[in-house]
């Protein structure tokens, strides 16, 4: 069987060699210098090396036979001269192949542009041509060759020898690909399809195709110009370097195989149709320099393509590692973000292994990893195209589902998992599962909020090993959903629809009855009023504060736009939650919102908590300062509750301080509260700050506060919060 296979290969190689050796000799580019013809690239050498790469030792006998027949037919040599010529060409290639195999191993003929390329370049691209030329000169010294080929065996000038040696190097380095890739594709249709798919189609479809077609068009135009026999000095003198620049640009875009083949074709066209390309080059010195440039660029291009390919491989490897959890080997949150961008419409499910944390304390971390892998392997067969399982830290997994009936599919998955046990070191573990899900879009900001909400909801679901829905419509919420989850549903619906969020205002006035209003908010859901003490903690817990605050500001700016005022005084104050100020670009967004509606920033006071005003968070402080620099007045809310000290008060950058209500409620009965308020007012006077007192409910409080130096008062005595309308608003 092995003999038949070798015989078949040898016969195929012989047929190819009989056809291609004469053909390669015929298409070898020539030029005339001082009346003598010289090869610019002797392509039979390229064919021989390519055949050895394809067939290995099975190509040696066919090469000997075909070379002998070709040279005997065209050169009319004596038998001794013919044997010497064939020996000089083939033996160095065979010996260098054996040496290359010794260094690279049994697969030395595979992946010419991959590992071991430098060894192949040295032995097959330089040592083999040098050995061929050395043997030819030795043979010419002892054997008489016909005048037609005598110059190649030593009967020539020194520069002719240099050019002749360079043509063999060019044939080995550049033009081996001209025969290797077409022959492999001809002999193996699978290789042809793989070459087309991996080396051509990937660059000519999708976003890469414009660059690819443009590059190919430039190459075609440049080759037409350079290969035309116009005899213009500018063509040979100035346009030739452009082709090297063009191929250098192509290296970063195309693969090494396609680049090697395109460069071989381009070099053959340039050297074959060289009337325009070599115009003005009529000396061996200039021709030698041109061939040196071709050879040097070929080596550089081969190494650059290999390095770029290696870099691309490393980038793909690093990208894969960045998208994969190192312990479970499951896609992580970064992978989820990319997946959501690829599939904008889908349902995100959070699967909680509720007792995994408890079990991992007993069995160790590897048990946790093993369980997550086993659960993933059980879920994967149930997934469709575009669906995937993602790793979450802790005791949860994320499942991205597409299509309809998500709730039924997820319930089936949970029931299936709850009915199975996981084996760990001869112990059968019973894992308890619960899940939650929500329809998502491709908004990454919304995605991270949804993850926190789903985590909370899945924890609730795991208590009954059920599936709960985090949906924007209340009628789809399970009847067993807890009150907190139901409240979260209502808040989400309110934020999506915007109308349920209603603005209220409460007056803040001075002793003369003048002042501004603080904006408060309520959620009215199905005629039910939800107060801030209920919804604000949920908003903060589920990271909805930025979205909520921006909605409040949007409604307020719209009101100010519809009800402008000639007064330059502040008309309203708005409280921003701490997490809102932690967003890097929130100040720019607020300023842009006011600019969009052409509402002056001086009409609104931004209230921040004492914690934020004296925070060590660089982001919060930058946002506060940016808002102040753009015309907003800054008020410090809940002043005096613990974050202020004299050092911080000394460097305080604000306009208003609001004394916390805990110092106001008992100010008429507690002897210490007036002293605290008085000290705050004295400090504010020194810093030229306005002081506001909250929770003012009695006439005695009002009189005492004005006496102590408080500028503005706020509370039920002054006015209760009322809906913000044009009728009840007093500017």
């Amino acid at each position: 069987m092995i003999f038949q296979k070798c015989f078949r290969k040898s016969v195929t190689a012989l047929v190819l060699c009989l056809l291609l050796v004469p053909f390669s000799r015929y298409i070898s580019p020539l030029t005339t210098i001082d009346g003598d013809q010289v090869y610019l690239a002797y392509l039979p050498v390229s064919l021989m090396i390519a055949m050895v790469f394809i067939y290995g030792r099975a190509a040696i006998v066919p090469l000997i036979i075909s070379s002998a027949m070709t040279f005997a037919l065209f050169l009319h040599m004596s038998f001794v001269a013919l044997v010497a010529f064939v020996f000089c060409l083939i033996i160095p290639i065979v010996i260098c192949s054996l040496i290359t195999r010794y260094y690279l191993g049994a697969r030395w003929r595979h992946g010419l542009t991959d590992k071991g390329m430098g060894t192949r370049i040295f032995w097959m691209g330089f040592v083999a041509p040098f050995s061929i030329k050395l043997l030819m000169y030795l043979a010419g010294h002892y054997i008489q060759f016909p005048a037609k080929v005598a110059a190649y065996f030593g009967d020539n000038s020194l520069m002719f020898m240099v050019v002749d040696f360079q043509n063999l190097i060019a044939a080995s380095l550049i033009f081996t690909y001209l025969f290797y890739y077409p022959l492999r594709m001809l002999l193996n249709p699978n290789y042809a399809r793989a070459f087309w798919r991996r080396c051509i189609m990937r660059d000519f479809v999708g976003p890469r195709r414009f660059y690819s077609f443009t590059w190919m068009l430039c190459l075609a135009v440049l080759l037409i110009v350079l290969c035309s026999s116009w005899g213009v000095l500018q063509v040979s003198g100035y346009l030739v370097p452009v082709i090297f620049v063009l191929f250098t640009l192509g290296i970063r875009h195309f693969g090494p195989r396609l680049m090697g083949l395109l460069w071989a074709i381009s070099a053959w066209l340039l050297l074959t149709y060289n009337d325009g390309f070599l115009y003005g080059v009529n000396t061996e010195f200039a021709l030698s320099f041109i061939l040196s440039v071709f050879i040097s660029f070929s080596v550089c291009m081969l190494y650059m393509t290999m390095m770029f390919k290696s870099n691309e491989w490393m980038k793909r490897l690093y990208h894969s590692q960045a998208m994969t959890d190192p312990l479970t080997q499951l896609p992580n949150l970064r992978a989820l973000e990319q997946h959501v961008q690829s599939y904008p419409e889908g349902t995100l499910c959070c699967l909680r292994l509720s007792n995994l944390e408890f079990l991992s304390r007993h069995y160790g971390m590897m048990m946790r990893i093993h369980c997550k892998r086993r659960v993933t392997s059980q879920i994967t067969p149930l997934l469709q195209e575009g669906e995937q399982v993602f790793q979450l830290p802790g005791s949860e997994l994320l499942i991205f589902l597409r299509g309809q009936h998500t709730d039924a599919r997820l319930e089936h998955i949970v029931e299936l998992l709850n009915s199975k046990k996981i084996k760990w070191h001869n112990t059968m573990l019973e894992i308890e599962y619960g899940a939650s899900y929500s329809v998502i879009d491709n908004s990454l900001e919304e995605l991270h909020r949804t993850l926190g909400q789903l985590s909370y909801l899945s924890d609730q679901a795991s208590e009954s090993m059920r599936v709960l829905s985090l949906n924007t419509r209340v009628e789809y919420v399970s009847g067993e959903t807890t009150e907190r989850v139901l409240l979260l549903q209502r808040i989400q619906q309110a934020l999506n629809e915007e109308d349920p969020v209603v603005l209220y205002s409460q007056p803040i006035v001075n002793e003369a009855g003048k002042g501004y209003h603080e904006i408060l908010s309520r959620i009215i859901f199905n005629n039910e009023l939800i107060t801030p003490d209920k919804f604000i903690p949920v908003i903060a817990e589920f990271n909805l504060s930025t979205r909520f605050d921006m909605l409040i500001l949007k409604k307020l700016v719209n009101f100010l736009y519809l009800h402008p005022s000639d007064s330059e005084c502040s008309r309203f104050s708005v409280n921003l939650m701490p997490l809102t100020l932690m967003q890097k670009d929130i100040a720019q967004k607020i300023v842009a919102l006011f600019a969009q509606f052409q509402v002056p920033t001086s009409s609104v006071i931004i209230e921040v908590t004492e914690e934020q005003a004296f925070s060590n968070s660089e982001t919060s402080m930058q946002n506060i300062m940016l808002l102040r620099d753009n015309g907003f007045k800054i008020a410090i809310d809940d002043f005096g509750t613990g974050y202020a000290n004299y050092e911080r008060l000394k460097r305080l950058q604000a306009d208003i301080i609001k004394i916390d209500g805990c110092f106001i409620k008992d100010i008429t009965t507690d002897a210490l509260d007036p002293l605290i308020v008085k000290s705050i007012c004295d400090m504010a006077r020194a810093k030229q700050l306005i002081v506001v007192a909250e929770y003012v409910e009695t006439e005695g409080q009002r009189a005492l506060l004005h006496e102590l130096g408080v500028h503005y008062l706020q509370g039920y005595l002054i006015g209760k919060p009322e809906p913000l309308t044009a009728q009840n608003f007093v500017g």
Side-chain angles (χ1 to χ4, degrees):
M1 189 69 180
I2 297 177
F3 174 78
Q4 291 178 349
K5 184 178 179 180
C6 293
F7 179 76
R8 223 174 16 248
K9 287 175 61 176
S10 298
V11 171
T12 306
L14 179 60
V15 172
L16 289 174
C17 290
L18 289 173
L19 294 173
L20 294 178
V21 169
F23 174 74
S24 62
R25 181 180 178 275
Y26 175 75
I27 65 171
S28 296
L30 288 161
T31 191
T32 302
I33 297 179
D34 296 333
D36 294 326
Q37 281 192 331
V38 60
Y39 282 108
L40 297 178
Y42 193 58
L43 297 187
V45 173
S46 309
L47 174 65
M48 292 176 184
I49 295 176
M51 291 297 292
V52 170
F53 279 142
I54 295 174
Y55 287 101
R57 57 177 174 269
I60 297 175
V61 174
L63 285 174
I64 293 174
I65 295 173
S66 59
S67 300
M69 294 177 63
T70 301
F71 299 146
L73 179 63
F74 291 101
L75 299 180
H76 307 291
M77 294 183 177
S78 65
F79 178 77
V80 175
L82 181 62
V83 171
F85 192 13
V86 173
F87 179 88
C88 292
L89 285 177
I90 296 178
I91 293 302
I93 295 176
V94 173
I95 294 175
C96 289
S97 299
L98 293 173
I99 297 174
T100 305
R101 188 186 189 282
Y102 171 78
Y103 282 110
L104 299 183
R107 294 184 59 83
W108 70 279
R109 297 185 288 118
H110 300 273
L112 300 188
T113 57
D114 296 334
K115 184 178 179 180
M117 187 184 71
T119 303
R120 279 185 287 268
I121 288 176
F122 177 74
W123 290 103
M124 306 300 292
F126 287 100
V127 177
F130 175 79
S131 303
I132 290 173
K133 188 48 59 181
L134 180 62
L135 289 177
M136 289 178 69
Y137 284 140
L138 290 175
H141 186 72
Y142 296 102
I143 300 173
Q144 186 69 31
F145 287 90
K148 191 175 182 180
V149 296
Y152 297 103
F153 289 86
D155 188 11
N156 50 53
S157 65
L158 177 62
M159 285 309 303
F160 187 97
M161 293 172 57
V162 173
V163 173
D164 188 28
F165 174 53
Q166 288 176 325
N167 98 72
L168 292 178
I169 296 178
S172 304
L173 279 177
I174 304 173
F175 298 105
T176 298
Y177 301 109
L178 191 62
F179 295 97
Y180 177 79
Y181 290 121
L183 282 176
R184 285 207 63 182
M185 287 186 274
L186 177 67
L187 295 169
N188 188 348
N190 291 329
Y191 183 85
R193 284 191 290 268
F195 189 92
W196 175 262
R197 186 175 62 255
R198 297 177 184 176
C199 302
I200 299 178
M201 285 304 296
R202 76 179 185 92
D203 297 315
F204 289 88
V205 295
R208 300 169 63 94
R209 65 174 178 265
F210 178 77
Y211 186 97
S212 301
F213 281 111
T214 304
W215 189 91
M216 293 295 293
L217 178 63
C218 293
L219 177 62
V221 171
L222 190 58
L223 288 176
I224 291 172
V225 172
L226 290 174
C227 295
S228 300
S229 55
W230 293 344
V232 179
L233 186 61
Q234 284 77 8
V235 171
S236 63
Y238 296 100
L239 284 186
V240 171
V242 178
I243 199 162
F244 300 123
V245 174
L246 187 64
F247 270 90
T248 303
L249 294 175
I251 287 170
R252 296 183 57 85
H253 188 77
F254 300 102
R257 294 174 178 82
L258 183 60
M259 286 300 295
L261 182 58
L262 289 175
W263 173 239
I265 295 172
S266 302
W268 179 80
L269 289 171
L270 290 173
L271 295 179
T272 302
Y273 302 99
N274 54 41
D275 292 342
F277 171 61
L278 295 180
Y279 178 74
V281 181
N282 54 3
T283 66
E284 293 93 336
F285 296 98
L287 182 59
S288 174
F289 175 77
I290 290 175
L291 288 177
S292 298
V293 171
F294 269 63
I295 293 169
S296 301
F297 179 75
S298 299
V299 175
C300 293
M301 189 188 71
L302 289 172
Y303 271 102
M304 283 190 293
T305 54
M306 184 184 69
M307 288 187 292
F308 185 74
K309 178 183 177 182
S310 177
N311 289 339
E312 288 294 306
W313 179 83
M314 291 299 294
K315 283 167 59 177
R316 289 194 297 269
L317 176 63
Y318 293 151
H319 182 268
S320 175
Q321 291 177 342
M323 298 292 164
T324 305
D325 180 73
L327 296 177
T328 62
Q329 295 301 306
L330 295 176
N332 58 17
L333 286 179
R334 287 183 179 176
L336 174 64
E337 293 176 356
Q338 286 200 352
H339 195 79
V340 170
Q341 295 294 314
S342 302
Y343 299 95
E345 296 181 358
T347 302
L348 191 60
C349 313
C350 182
L351 178 69
R352 177 177 286 271
L353 291 67
S354 59
N355 58 340
L356 186 63
E357 184 72 30
F358 172 78
L359 293 173
S360 64
R361 292 173 186 171
H362 179 73
Y363 293 104
M365 182 62 67
M366 293 307 298
M367 184 279 303
R368 182 198 296 261
I369 297 169
H370 172 75
C371 287
K372 286 197 169 185
R373 288 176 178 173
R374 288 293 301 157
V375 170
T376 303
S377 66
Q378 293 172 3
I379 296 175
T380 302
L382 305 176
L383 302 182
Q384 303 172 4
E385 181 183 359
E387 300 180 340
Q388 200 168 0
V389 180
F390 298 88
Q391 155 72 358
L392 266 184
S395 304
E396 297 168 332
L397 290 171
L398 291 174
I399 310 172
F400 183 85
L401 298 178
R402 303 175 66 207
Q404 300 178 347
H405 310 298
T406 303
D407 51 349
R409 291 182 62 196
L410 191 57
E411 286 180 2
H412 172 69
I413 290 174
V414 173
E415 290 176 2
L416 177 66
L417 294 174
N418 279 318
S419 65
K420 294 187 176 183
K421 297 181 180 180
I422 296 178
K423 185 177 181 180
W424 172 253
H425 292 175
N426 299 321
T427 302
M428 302 304 294
L429 303 177
E430 291 189 12
I431 307 295
E432 298 172 357
Y433 302 89
S436 59
Y437 67 93
S438 173
V439 177
I440 61 171
D441 53 24
N442 60 352
S443 172
L444 295 182
E445 184 177 355
E446 191 66 29
L447 173 65
H448 293 292
R449 294 196 189 100
T450 305
L451 289 178
Q453 298 160 13
L454 286 175
S455 177
Y456 173 82
L457 196 59
S458 65
D459 186 33
Q460 302 294 311
S462 62
E463 295 178 1
S464 57
M465 293 185 287
R466 291 289 304 276
V467 175
L468 296 179
S469 167
L470 180 65
N471 204 287
T472 55
R473 290 185 289 179
V474 177
E475 56 265 32
Y476 284 100
V477 179
S478 169
E480 297 182 5
T481 306
T482 63
E483 181 181 352
R484 189 171 182 80
V485 175
L486 184 60
L487 179 59
L488 175 60
Q489 296 280 348
R490 292 174 175 176
I491 293 171
Q492 280 199 309
Q493 180 175 350
L495 292 177
N496 289 333
E497 297 178 2
E498 298 186 359
D499 289 339
V501 179
V502 180
L503 298 188
Y504 277 59
S505 66
Q506 185 178 21
I508 302 175
V509 300
N510 58 15
E511 195 169 2
K514 301 294 184 179
Y516 59 96
H517 289 70
E518 179 179 2
I519 293 297
L520 306 171
S521 58
R522 305 289 187 268
I523 294 178
I524 301 177
F525 194 86
N526 292 340
N527 297 322
E528 178 187 351
L529 181 66
I530 306 176
T531 54
D533 61 310
K534 294 182 179 179
F535 65 76
I536 290 296
V538 177
I539 286 176
E541 179 179 354
F542 290 100
N543 196 21
L544 296 171
S545 59
T546 304
R547 187 178 174 188
F548 181 80
D549 285 344
M550 289 303 295
L551 176 58
I552 298 299
L553 284 170
K554 178 181 175 182
K555 285 178 170 285
L556 176 59
V557 170
N558 186 63
F559 180 87
L560 291 170
Y561 174 75
L562 296 175
H563 306 91
S565 173
D566 296 332
S567 173
E568 296 183 358
C569 298
S570 301
R571 302 171 64 187
F572 295 100
S573 66
V574 178
N575 201 308
L576 296 184
M577 289 188 241
L579 286 177
T580 300
L581 289 169
M582 292 294 291
Q583 308 302 313
K584 287 187 177 180
D585 57 347
I586 194 63
Q588 291 91 331
K589 289 182 179 179
I590 294 174
V591 173
L593 178 64
F594 277 74
Q596 178 184 352
F597 285 85
Q598 297 181 344
V599 173
T601 56
S602 60
S603 60
V604 174
I605 299 168
I606 300 294
E607 293 190 13
V608 300
T609 64
E610 186 185 72
E611 175 185 357
Q612 290 296 315
F614 300 113
S615 171
N616 291 323
S617 169
E618 183 178 350
T619 302
S620 295
M621 296 305 297
Q622 286 179 349
N623 281 324
I624 293 173
M625 294 307 299
L626 184 59
L627 290 171
R628 195 164 188 260
D629 292 342
N630 279 275
F632 292 97
K633 289 185 178 180
I634 302 298
I636 311 302
D637 198 12
D638 302 330
F639 189 85
T641 54
Y643 281 85
N645 57 45
Y646 287 109
E647 190 274 329
R648 285 173 171 171
L649 294 176
K650 185 178 179 180
R651 56 184 176 87
L652 175 64
Q653 298 293 325
D655 304 283
I656 301 169
I657 54 176
K658 298 184 70 174
I659 302 175
D660 190 81
C662 66
F663 303 114
I664 307 300
K665 289 185 291 185
D666 301 322
I667 196 168
T668 58
T669 58
D670 191 321
L672 188 59
D673 285 342
L675 297 177
I676 295 174
V677 172
K678 182 67 167 62
S679 67
I680 293 175
C681 292
D682 291 341
M683 181 276 302
R685 190 180 303 109
K687 293 279 292 182
Q688 296 182 340
L689 300 175
I690 295 173
V691 180
V692 177
E694 301 176 305
Y695 295 97
V696 180
E697 298 179 350
T698 66
E699 287 292 344
Q701 290 173 334
R702 174 159 58 182
L704 180 56
L705 288 169
H706 281 311
E707 182 182 340
L708 292 173
V710 175
H711 303 98
Y712 289 85
L713 305 179
Q714 178 183 6
Y716 279 8
L717 177 67
I718 310 302
K720 294 183 179 181
E722 295 182 358
L724 178 64
T725 61
Q727 287 74 22
N728 62 25
F729 170 67
V730 180

